[in-house]
Amino acid sequence: MGIGLFLSILAMVSAALVEIKRLEIARELNLTHEKVEVPLSILWQIPQYALVGAGEVFTCIGQVEFFYDQSPDAMRSLCTAFALVTVSLGSYLSSLILTLVSYFTTLGGQTGWIPDNLNEGHLDRFFWLIAGLSLINLVVYVWCALRYKYKNAA
């Protein structure tokens, strides 16, 4: 699971770097205040999608296996279902973070990080924020994993 969490950090860093490049191109071509596409190939998103996909494989499979192996025999189905509940809770948390970022970055009439016209925003800062939160998540995971006592296999 730790590998998957680390890959998710790399995905957000990659996304931030691509967004920085996209914003540079928008500024160079004077497209900042226009709702038009920036001439940057969609293929620049391949690394992010590959890293997110690989991270999900490592994290989700490891999580389901952990819930199944470490739960009491009579509760395996319920504990495995908790693995899916964590995914839904993560979606709600993601929505909350996005709402909070939108609210706080638009205070005082500012454009904000994620406006309707992304050429005027700073989506890169949002990606850096998510990368930072993911790093904190990885540190907490490693801390907990080092202290966890595995159930003996029967």
Side-chain angles (χ1 to χ4, degrees):
M1 286 192 295
I3 293 170
L5 296 175
F6 179 73
L7 291 176
S8 72
I9 296 169
L10 293 180
M12 290 301 106
V13 169
S14 175
L17 295 174
V18 169
E19 180 62 13
I20 288 169
K21 181 64 177 171
R22 193 191 69 75
L23 290 172
E24 285 175 5
I25 293 171
R27 279 192 294 276
E28 287 171 4
L29 299 176
N30 294 320
L31 301 175
T32 305
H33 299 293
E34 305 205 18
K35 279 189 168 182
V36 295
E37 294 178 12
V38 174
L40 181 69
S41 174
I42 189 104
L43 298 178
W44 281 93
Q45 292 184 354
I46 290 175
Q48 294 93 291
Y49 279 104
L51 288 167
V52 166
E56 285 291 317
V57 167
F58 281 104
T59 304
C60 290
I61 292 173
Q63 184 183 27
V64 169
E65 182 180 346
F66 175 78
F67 274 104
Y68 185 79
D69 287 345
Q70 297 300 304
S71 61
D73 292 340
M75 295 183 64
R76 283 201 169 142
S77 296
L78 178 65
C79 290
T80 303
F82 279 139
L84 298 174
V85 170
T86 62
V87 173
S88 66
L89 292 176
S91 295
Y92 284 118
L93 181 61
S94 177
S95 295
L96 176 65
I97 291 170
L98 182 61
T99 301
L100 290 173
V101 165
S102 294
Y103 174 77
F104 285 112
T105 61
T106 56
L107 287 177
Q110 295 187 28
T111 306
W113 289 1
I114 311 170
D116 290 336
N117 180 0
L118 291 178
N119 295 337
E120 295 176 345
H122 288 284
L123 192 56
D124 56 319
R125 293 177 186 169
F126 180 74
F127 290 136
W128 287 119
L129 173 68
I130 298 300
L133 291 174
S134 297
L135 178 62
I136 293 168
N137 184 38
L138 177 61
V139 168
V140 170
Y141 167 79
V142 169
W143 184 82
C144 291
L146 290 173
R147 284 156 184 72
Y148 183 77
K149 303 279 190 247
Y150 280 92
K151 177 178 107 172
N152 292 330

